[in-house]
């Protein structure tokens, strides 16, 4: 089987996602019915974390366990990587001992260099630039609630960060629109985030304009991990970018609200919105588990033939 990594959303085609979503539905149903499905017995996942995590660690660790395999949690500070071992050397060693690796780190370049030196599949568990596992779970969630995302409009309000960049890649893969509204100084640099220039996004200075007629409104923290030094400046810059009920009212009547979590109520989102009827944030979090199980199955076993 050809070695495949999952480093950015556009590493996979729309057909591959359609396959992964079909598998995710089956895996989810099997799990909900307490039926055992152990295709990854004797397989080991290494999870390298340079940053904190609740959902990513849990969903990968529980997911691997539920598929019959095991996982090893490696916070960077407890490994030789934390003491300066070159990432290339670490990749060569770790990938001789395990079957699949997930990494959460800072610059995307670190992940890229790791993957180039790995003998086994590498998954991006979040970098400063991208969060593809989250968007895979989010699109699966959208489809569960509203059907196909192609042709729909997603409003992204707030920081042009790893989540926003990944939504922009996903828009090209699935052919939907993203309305992005961010304060001046937080512009999209499309060449830097691997967009092919299909014009699937539009910038709006007013968040209220951006959400008009949106099928999905989504946002994320103003201060991502690694940007803590900019806290005060960012709180000022983003003050008008809180998704509140007034903003949600401008979107389509049946618009969904998403947030990858963790959230800061009263900053990027109002309590009434994240805890309100349009919010599907808990489904998003749960679906990380099911979609990543399908992802690991695909990277390790390839396409499963239907019985
Ligand atoms: N959404 C997400 O990736 O959450 P964690 O940081 O808790 O993993
Ligand atoms: N943009 C956030 C996402 C956390 C899951 C961060 O990078 O901290």
């Amino acid at each position: 089987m050809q070695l495949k990594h999952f480093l950015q959303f556009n590493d996979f085609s729309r057909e591959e996602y359609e396959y992964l979503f079909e598998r995710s539905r089956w895996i989810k149903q099997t799990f909900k019915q307490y039926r055992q499905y152990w295709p990854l017995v004797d397989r080991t996942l290494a999870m390298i974390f340079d940053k904190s995590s609740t959902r990513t660690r849990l969903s990968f660790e529980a997911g691997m366990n539920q598929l019959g395999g095991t996982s090893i949690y490696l916070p960077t500070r407890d490994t030789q990587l934390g003491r300066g071992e070159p990432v290339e050397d670490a990749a060569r060693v770790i990938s001789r001992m395990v079957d699949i690796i997930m990494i959460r780190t800072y610059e995307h370049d670190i992940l890229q260099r790791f993957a180039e030196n790995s003998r086994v599949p590498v998954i991006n568990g979040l970098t400063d630039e991208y969060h593809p596992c989250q968007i895979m779970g989010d699109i699966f969630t959208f489809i569960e609630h509203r059907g196909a995302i192609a042709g729909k409009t997603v409003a992204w309000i707030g920081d042009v960060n790893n989540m926003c960049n990944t939504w922009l890649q996903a828009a090209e893969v699935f052919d939907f629109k993203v309305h992005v509204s961010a304060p001046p100084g937080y512009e999209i640099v499309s060449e830097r985030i691997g967009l092919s220039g299909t014009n699937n996004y539009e910038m709006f200075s007013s968040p209220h304009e951006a959400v008009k007629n949106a099928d999905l409104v989504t946002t994320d923290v103003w201060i991502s991990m690694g940007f803590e030094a900019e806290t005060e400046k960012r709180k000022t810059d983003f003050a008008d970018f809180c998704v509140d009920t007034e903003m949600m009212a401008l979107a389509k009547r049946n618009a969904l609200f998403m947030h990858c979590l963790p959230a800061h109520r009263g900053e990027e989102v109002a309590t009434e919105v994240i805890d309100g009827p349009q919010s599907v944030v808990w489904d998003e979090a749960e679906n990380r588990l099911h979609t990543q199980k399908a992802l690991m199955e695909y990277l390790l076993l390839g396409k499963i033939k239907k019985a």
Side-chain angles (χ1 to χ4, degrees), residues 52-57 104 131 134 225 260-262 288:
S52 307
S53 169
T54 299
R55 282 142 287 267
T56 304
R57 178 181 174 185
R104 167 169 286 196
H131 198 2
Q134 181 70 50
M225 291 179 278
C260 68
L261 305 175
R288 294 285 305 275

PDB file of all heavy atoms in Angstrom, residues 52-57 104 131 134 225 260-262 288, ligand 1:
ATOM      1  N   SER A  52      -1.323  21.868  24.318  1.00  0.00           N
ATOM      2  CA  SER A  52      -2.375  21.227  25.110  1.00  0.00           C
ATOM      3  C   SER A  52      -3.488  20.656  24.239  1.00  0.00           C
ATOM      4  O   SER A  52      -3.650  21.076  23.087  1.00  0.00           O
ATOM      5  CB  SER A  52      -3.026  22.254  26.039  1.00  0.00           C
ATOM      6  OG  SER A  52      -2.058  22.904  26.780  1.00  0.00           O
ATOM      7  N   SER A  53      -4.263  19.745  24.800  1.00  0.00           N
ATOM      8  CA  SER A  53      -5.401  19.190  24.073  1.00  0.00           C
ATOM      9  C   SER A  53      -6.329  18.423  25.002  1.00  0.00           C
ATOM     10  O   SER A  53      -5.868  17.745  25.918  1.00  0.00           O
ATOM     11  CB  SER A  53      -4.921  18.236  22.980  1.00  0.00           C
ATOM     12  OG  SER A  53      -6.023  17.520  22.461  1.00  0.00           O
ATOM     13  N   THR A  54      -7.609  18.527  24.744  1.00  0.00           N
ATOM     14  CA  THR A  54      -8.587  17.643  25.390  1.00  0.00           C
ATOM     15  C   THR A  54      -9.169  16.724  24.323  1.00  0.00           C
ATOM     16  O   THR A  54      -8.990  15.514  24.338  1.00  0.00           O
ATOM     17  CB  THR A  54      -9.724  18.460  26.047  1.00  0.00           C
ATOM     18  OG1 THR A  54      -9.148  19.292  27.043  1.00  0.00           O
ATOM     19  CG2 THR A  54     -10.766  17.555  26.684  1.00  0.00           C
ATOM     20  N   ARG A  55      -9.868  17.328  23.337  1.00  0.00           N
ATOM     21  CA  ARG A  55     -10.585  16.557  22.310  1.00  0.00           C
ATOM     22  C   ARG A  55      -9.677  15.718  21.419  1.00  0.00           C
ATOM     23  O   ARG A  55      -9.965  14.554  21.125  1.00  0.00           O
ATOM     24  CB  ARG A  55     -11.406  17.502  21.398  1.00  0.00           C
ATOM     25  CG  ARG A  55     -12.685  17.971  22.010  1.00  0.00           C
ATOM     26  CD  ARG A  55     -12.942  19.418  21.652  1.00  0.00           C
ATOM     27  NE  ARG A  55     -12.034  20.267  22.397  1.00  0.00           N
ATOM     28  CZ  ARG A  55     -12.323  20.826  23.571  1.00  0.00           C
ATOM     29  NH1 ARG A  55     -13.523  20.696  24.045  1.00  0.00           N
ATOM     30  NH2 ARG A  55     -11.438  21.550  24.249  1.00  0.00           N
ATOM     31  N   THR A  56      -8.587  16.310  20.968  1.00  0.00           N
ATOM     32  CA  THR A  56      -7.735  15.607  20.003  1.00  0.00           C
ATOM     33  C   THR A  56      -7.102  14.386  20.656  1.00  0.00           C
ATOM     34  O   THR A  56      -7.126  13.286  20.106  1.00  0.00           O
ATOM     35  CB  THR A  56      -6.690  16.571  19.424  1.00  0.00           C
ATOM     36  OG1 THR A  56      -7.414  17.679  18.862  1.00  0.00           O
ATOM     37  CG2 THR A  56      -5.843  15.916  18.352  1.00  0.00           C
ATOM     38  N   ARG A  57      -6.576  14.574  21.847  1.00  0.00           N
ATOM     39  CA  ARG A  57      -5.957  13.425  22.520  1.00  0.00           C
ATOM     40  C   ARG A  57      -6.990  12.339  22.796  1.00  0.00           C
ATOM     41  O   ARG A  57      -6.779  11.170  22.493  1.00  0.00           O
ATOM     42  CB  ARG A  57      -5.306  13.877  23.838  1.00  0.00           C
ATOM     43  CG  ARG A  57      -4.721  12.669  24.525  1.00  0.00           C
ATOM     44  CD  ARG A  57      -4.079  12.939  25.836  1.00  0.00           C
ATOM     45  NE  ARG A  57      -3.701  11.656  26.430  1.00  0.00           N
ATOM     46  CZ  ARG A  57      -3.187  11.534  27.632  1.00  0.00           C
ATOM     47  NH1 ARG A  57      -2.976  12.601  28.356  1.00  0.00           N
ATOM     48  NH2 ARG A  57      -2.878  10.344  28.111  1.00  0.00           N
ATOM     49  N   ARG A 104       0.669  17.210  17.086  1.00  0.00           N
ATOM     50  CA  ARG A 104       0.166  18.581  17.285  1.00  0.00           C
ATOM     51  C   ARG A 104       1.372  19.444  17.609  1.00  0.00           C
ATOM     52  O   ARG A 104       2.069  19.207  18.597  1.00  0.00           O
ATOM     53  CB  ARG A 104      -0.852  18.613  18.428  1.00  0.00           C
ATOM     54  CG  ARG A 104      -1.166  20.026  18.887  1.00  0.00           C
ATOM     55  CD  ARG A 104      -2.343  20.105  19.811  1.00  0.00           C
ATOM     56  NE  ARG A 104      -3.586  19.917  19.080  1.00  0.00           N
ATOM     57  CZ  ARG A 104      -4.789  20.238  19.550  1.00  0.00           C
ATOM     58  NH1 ARG A 104      -4.919  20.748  20.752  1.00  0.00           N
ATOM     59  NH2 ARG A 104      -5.871  20.039  18.826  1.00  0.00           N
ATOM     60  N   HIS A 131      -5.920  22.747  10.790  1.00  0.00           N
ATOM     61  CA  HIS A 131      -6.522  21.773  11.725  1.00  0.00           C
ATOM     62  C   HIS A 131      -7.465  20.853  10.921  1.00  0.00           C
ATOM     63  O   HIS A 131      -8.684  20.885  11.100  1.00  0.00           O
ATOM     64  CB  HIS A 131      -7.274  22.530  12.826  1.00  0.00           C
ATOM     65  CG  HIS A 131      -7.552  21.721  14.045  1.00  0.00           C
ATOM     66  ND1 HIS A 131      -7.122  20.406  14.202  1.00  0.00           N
ATOM     67  CD2 HIS A 131      -8.237  22.021  15.193  1.00  0.00           C
ATOM     68  CE1 HIS A 131      -7.521  19.961  15.384  1.00  0.00           C
ATOM     69  NE2 HIS A 131      -8.198  20.909  15.994  1.00  0.00           N
ATOM     70  N   GLN A 134     -10.228  18.529  12.518  1.00  0.00           N
ATOM     71  CA  GLN A 134     -11.406  19.235  13.031  1.00  0.00           C
ATOM     72  C   GLN A 134     -12.396  19.551  11.908  1.00  0.00           C
ATOM     73  O   GLN A 134     -13.605  19.347  12.047  1.00  0.00           O
ATOM     74  CB  GLN A 134     -10.964  20.534  13.723  1.00  0.00           C
ATOM     75  CG  GLN A 134     -12.110  21.325  14.305  1.00  0.00           C
ATOM     76  CD  GLN A 134     -12.732  20.652  15.517  1.00  0.00           C
ATOM     77  OE1 GLN A 134     -12.025  20.265  16.432  1.00  0.00           O
ATOM     78  NE2 GLN A 134     -14.061  20.505  15.527  1.00  0.00           N
ATOM     79  N   MET A 225      -3.319  28.973  20.624  1.00  0.00           N
ATOM     80  CA  MET A 225      -2.119  28.537  21.349  1.00  0.00           C
ATOM     81  C   MET A 225      -0.863  29.013  20.613  1.00  0.00           C
ATOM     82  O   MET A 225      -0.764  28.839  19.392  1.00  0.00           O
ATOM     83  CB  MET A 225      -2.112  27.014  21.484  1.00  0.00           C
ATOM     84  CG  MET A 225      -3.197  26.503  22.428  1.00  0.00           C
ATOM     85  SD  MET A 225      -3.213  24.715  22.575  1.00  0.00           S
ATOM     86  CE  MET A 225      -4.130  24.234  21.113  1.00  0.00           C
ATOM     87  N   CYS A 260     -14.908  24.885  17.273  1.00  0.00           N
ATOM     88  CA  CYS A 260     -14.118  23.662  17.499  1.00  0.00           C
ATOM     89  C   CYS A 260     -13.896  23.371  18.972  1.00  0.00           C
ATOM     90  O   CYS A 260     -13.580  22.245  19.331  1.00  0.00           O
ATOM     91  CB  CYS A 260     -12.799  23.735  16.743  1.00  0.00           C
ATOM     92  SG  CYS A 260     -11.655  24.988  17.384  1.00  0.00           S
ATOM     93  N   LEU A 261     -14.042  24.414  19.833  1.00  0.00           N
ATOM     94  CA  LEU A 261     -13.806  24.311  21.267  1.00  0.00           C
ATOM     95  C   LEU A 261     -12.299  24.113  21.540  1.00  0.00           C
ATOM     96  O   LEU A 261     -11.647  23.478  20.713  1.00  0.00           O
ATOM     97  CB  LEU A 261     -14.618  23.171  21.900  1.00  0.00           C
ATOM     98  CG  LEU A 261     -16.126  23.205  21.660  1.00  0.00           C
ATOM     99  CD1 LEU A 261     -16.775  21.958  22.241  1.00  0.00           C
ATOM    100  CD2 LEU A 261     -16.761  24.456  22.268  1.00  0.00           C
ATOM    101  N   PRO A 262     -11.776  24.585  22.643  1.00  0.00           N
ATOM    102  CA  PRO A 262     -12.472  25.248  23.739  1.00  0.00           C
ATOM    103  C   PRO A 262     -12.936  26.654  23.355  1.00  0.00           C
ATOM    104  O   PRO A 262     -12.297  27.314  22.542  1.00  0.00           O
ATOM    105  CB  PRO A 262     -11.410  25.306  24.841  1.00  0.00           C
ATOM    106  CG  PRO A 262     -10.109  25.332  24.113  1.00  0.00           C
ATOM    107  CD  PRO A 262     -10.314  24.500  22.882  1.00  0.00           C
ATOM    108  N   ARG A 288     -15.399  14.038  16.038  1.00  0.00           N
ATOM    109  CA  ARG A 288     -13.942  13.875  15.894  1.00  0.00           C
ATOM    110  C   ARG A 288     -13.601  12.393  16.056  1.00  0.00           C
ATOM    111  O   ARG A 288     -12.759  11.859  15.348  1.00  0.00           O
ATOM    112  CB  ARG A 288     -13.202  14.682  16.976  1.00  0.00           C
ATOM    113  CG  ARG A 288     -13.327  16.188  16.883  1.00  0.00           C
ATOM    114  CD  ARG A 288     -12.486  16.761  15.768  1.00  0.00           C
ATOM    115  NE  ARG A 288     -11.080  16.399  15.859  1.00  0.00           N
ATOM    116  CZ  ARG A 288     -10.166  17.040  16.594  1.00  0.00           C
ATOM    117  NH1 ARG A 288     -10.508  18.102  17.283  1.00  0.00           N
ATOM    118  NH2 ARG A 288      -8.890  16.645  16.600  1.00  0.00           N
TER     119      ARG A 288
HETATM  120  N1  LIG B   1     -10.894  21.244  18.988  1.00  0.00           N
HETATM  121  C1  LIG B   1      -9.741  20.709  19.462  1.00  0.00           C
HETATM  122  O1  LIG B   1      -8.837  20.314  18.708  1.00  0.00           O
HETATM  123  O2  LIG B   1      -9.718  20.603  20.810  1.00  0.00           O
HETATM  124  P1  LIG B   1      -8.459  20.234  21.721  1.00  0.00           P
HETATM  125  O3  LIG B   1      -7.515  21.394  21.671  1.00  0.00           O
HETATM  126  O4  LIG B   1      -9.058  20.011  23.081  1.00  0.00           O
HETATM  127  O5  LIG B   1      -7.817  18.993  21.178  1.00  0.00           O
END
